[in-house]
């Protein structure tokens, strides 16, 4: 089923939409037979088909599949599971496109709340790059929230919480290094804190489309700068290196 789904995605990408739809549907049929229609693994394939219909403009079919996916995932995983939030976000976009703005707004608010709760655990991720990747992947949710939320404070509040999650382990890392009392380490730590702040600001920033490439280049440079500083700290402090190794274990 996964291979069929991947093939469907490839066919869609090259414009063979009828063939892609057939492969998506075949993947759904196979996984339904293997797991049952309401198994979370099967529901994912139903939702993928729904997202395909949304991209092709068949919003009625998309809404039906995504609405059922949200219900089945809630039943299987609970209302606050990140997978539920993912599909609620997709359903919100479809309902907004169908003119159901109030329904879309309610779904968006609930999806953001789930995302915020899942980001609370980012400080326990295995690496800083993973935390940045997660926040970057969620930027589209913030963009969508700004288009449907009548009170932007809600969406911007979520953005600030995402930024806080990215920086969540900085205090712990500073404490691990503070015992060394090395002025060079302290300076590098200060530089690292500044780079991380700039990086988190860049990741969650909302810019005009024509500025997107410039911002992406800035994110890449700041990421490289951050990793260079982390390597310097690893060489200067066995405590910091140990903390890095434990976080990646």
């Amino acid at each position: 089923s996964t291979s069929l789904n991947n093939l469907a995605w490839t066919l869609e990408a090259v414009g063979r939409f009828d063939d892609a739809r057939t492969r998506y549907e075949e993947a759904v049929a196979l996984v339904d037979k293997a797991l049952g229609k309401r198994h979370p693994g099967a529901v994912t394939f139903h939702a993928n088909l729904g997202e395909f219909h949304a991209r092709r403009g068949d919003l009625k079919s998309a809404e039906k599949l995504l609405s059922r996916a949200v219900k089945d995932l809630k039943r299987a995983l609970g209302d606050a599971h990140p997978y539920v939030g993912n599909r609620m976000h997709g359903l919100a976009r479809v309902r907004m496109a169908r003119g159901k703005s109030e329904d879309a707004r309610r779904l968006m608010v609930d999806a953001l709340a789930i995302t915020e709760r899942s980001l609370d655990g980012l400080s326990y991720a295995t690496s800083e790059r993973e935390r940045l990747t997660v926040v970057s992947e969620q930027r589209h949710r913030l963009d969508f929230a700004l288009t449907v939320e009548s009170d932007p404070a809600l969406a911007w509040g979520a953005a600030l919480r995402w930024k806080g999650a990215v920086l969540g382990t900085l205090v712990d890392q500073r404490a691990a290094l503070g015992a060394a009392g090395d002025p060079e380490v302290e300076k590098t730590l200060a530089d690292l804190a500044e780079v991380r702040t700039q990086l988190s600001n860049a990741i969650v920033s909302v810019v005009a489309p024509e500025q997107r490439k410039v911002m992406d280049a800035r994110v890449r440079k700041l990421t490289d700068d951050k990793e260079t500083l982390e390597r310097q700290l690893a060489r200067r402090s066995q405590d910091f290196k140990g903390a890095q190794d434990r976080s990646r274990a």
Side-chain angles (χ1 to χ4, degrees), residues 119-127 130-131 165 168-169 172 247:
L119 289 176
D120 286 342
L122 274 181
S123 60
Y124 303 102
T126 58
S127 71
E130 286 187 352
R131 291 191 289 277
T169 59
D172 291 339
S247 72

Side-chain angles (χ1 to χ4, degrees), residues 21 25 49-59 61-62 65:
R21 184 183 64 250
E25 290 171 346
L49 178 58
E51 296 282 3
F52 168 78
H53 284 308
R55 291 190 294 273
R56 299 301 303 147
D58 185 356
L59 299 178
S61 295
L65 285 163

Side-chain angles (χ1 to χ4, degrees), residues 5 19 32 34-35 41-42 48 92 96 101 110 142 144 146 160 172 176 180 189 194 197-198 210-211 213 215 234 249:
N5 193 80
D19 290 336
D32 282 354
L35 300 177
N48 289 342
M96 175 60 67
S101 57
D110 291 343
L142 173 61
F144 179 60
L146 290 172
L160 291 173
D172 291 339
L189 267 174
E194 175 61 25
T197 298
Q198 292 181 28
E210 61 271 18
Q211 294 296 315
K213 288 184 178 180
M215 184 57 69

